[in-house]
Amino acid sequence: MKIALLGYGKMGKTIEAIALNRGHDIVLKTSQSIASEITTADVAIDFSIPKAAFNNISNCINHNVPVISGTTGWLENYPKITALCEEKKGAFIYASNFSLGVNIFFELNKSLAKMMSTLKDYKVVIEEIHHTQKLDAPSGTAISLAEDIINNNANYNAWQLDSNTNKTIPITAKRIENVPGTHNITYNSEIDTIKLEHIAHSRQGFALGAVVAAEWLVGKTGVYTMKDVLNIG
């Protein structure tokens, strides 16, 4: 399989190593996709930056190249991408996190949110910790966790960074050197505390999940999620 890497930072290089180890070819390594170059690929993997992601993904879909994206911070344009994908009969996956463990964590978070919906004495908070090179805050994974709580627990209707108001889930974002990614969800009451936590030990899990998703997407049309790739939930 011929893969285009759109974004060649630390994550891109980790993806490259895993893809090569799985027998794939890397035909393009760039921050900004160019039409004449992207058509040489069977699939594209976008881990670029927020201001480049929309154009990268659009370019792939417009040129019939399946594309997955793990770039966060551009999702105000997500409806435009899904509409374009439907119009062009393209193939697209966005995930705030491609790790298998994190996607299991997402499902646990939804189940716990449902169970906690009738227990109003518990207040939920989310904390995420990442390396200092991460540009956006909160992380896309933290936002996904918060939105899943909102969709499964009527006690909350919004999330907010560094704020704690009525019916709002507060998210704390920390940036610490050499932390691949830690997320925790904590329900506090005066009596006790319930906590879910996922700690990534390296970028390997994210990168492997991205390559697996790219392999899965080739030959398909439509907009998918990691739940489709992993057949969970």
Side-chain angles (χ1 to χ4, degrees), residues 5-90:
L5 296 179
L6 309 180
Y8 195 59
K10 292 180 180 179
M11 179 61 75
K13 291 172 184 174
T14 305
I15 291 170
E16 178 184 33
I18 288 174
L20 291 173
N21 189 55
R22 292 171 72 90
H24 303 306
D25 295 322
I26 306 300
V27 295
L28 178 63
K29 295 181 283 191
T30 183
S31 296
Q32 300 269 354
S33 62
I34 301 171
S36 60
E37 296 175 334
I38 200 67
T39 54
T40 64
D42 298 315
V43 64
I45 300 177
D46 171 70
F47 272 86
S48 56
I49 57 175
K51 67 180 182 180
F54 177 75
N55 287 336
N56 282 342
I57 298 163
S58 299
N59 189 36
C60 291
I61 293 172
N62 280 324
H63 291 88
N64 198 33
V65 176
V67 56
I68 73 163
S69 177
T71 305
T72 56
W74 64 275
L75 290 184
E76 69 277 4
N77 288 315
Y78 182 81
K80 294 179 183 177
I81 289 295
T82 57
L84 179 65
C85 191
E86 181 177 352
E87 176 191 346
K88 299 290 186 177
K89 293 182 170 38

Side-chain angles (χ1 to χ4, degrees), residues 26 41 50 60 98 105 110 113 127 147 175:
I26 306 300
C60 291
F98 281 95
F105 187 59
K110 292 175 192 175
E127 179 187 71
E147 290 178 344
R175 297 294 173 260

Side-chain angles (χ1 to χ4, degrees), residues 208-226:
L208 176 60
V211 175
V212 168
E215 293 169 344
W216 183 90
L217 188 61
V218 171
K220 294 180 174 64
T221 59
V223 177
Y224 300 97
T225 70
M226 282 300 286

Side-chain angles (χ1 to χ4, degrees), residues 54-158:
F54 177 75
N55 287 336
N56 282 342
I57 298 163
S58 299
N59 189 36
C60 291
I61 293 172
N62 280 324
H63 291 88
N64 198 33
V65 176
V67 56
I68 73 163
S69 177
T71 305
T72 56
W74 64 275
L75 290 184
E76 69 277 4
N77 288 315
Y78 182 81
K80 294 179 183 177
I81 289 295
T82 57
L84 179 65
C85 191
E86 181 177 352
E87 176 191 346
K88 299 290 186 177
K89 293 182 170 38
F92 174 59
I93 295 173
Y94 165 76
S96 58
N97 197 310
F98 281 95
S99 162
L100 173 59
V102 165
N103 281 277
I104 294 171
F105 187 59
F106 284 151
E107 297 307 308
L108 292 172
N109 174 53
K110 292 175 192 175
S111 296
L112 182 58
K114 291 175 184 176
M115 287 187 279
M116 301 303 291
S117 61
T118 60
L119 303 176
K120 298 185 184 297
D121 290 337
Y122 288 86
K123 303 301 179 185
V124 68
V125 297
I126 296 175
E127 179 187 71
E128 59 98 337
I129 308 170
H130 283 87
H131 50 86
T132 53
Q133 289 78 36
K134 185 168 179 59
L135 299 178
D136 57 316
S139 68
T141 300
I143 293 172
S144 294
L145 291 166
E147 290 178 344
D148 284 342
I149 293 172
I150 292 165
N151 290 334
N152 289 281
N153 187 325
N155 297 316
Y156 302 98
N157 59 20

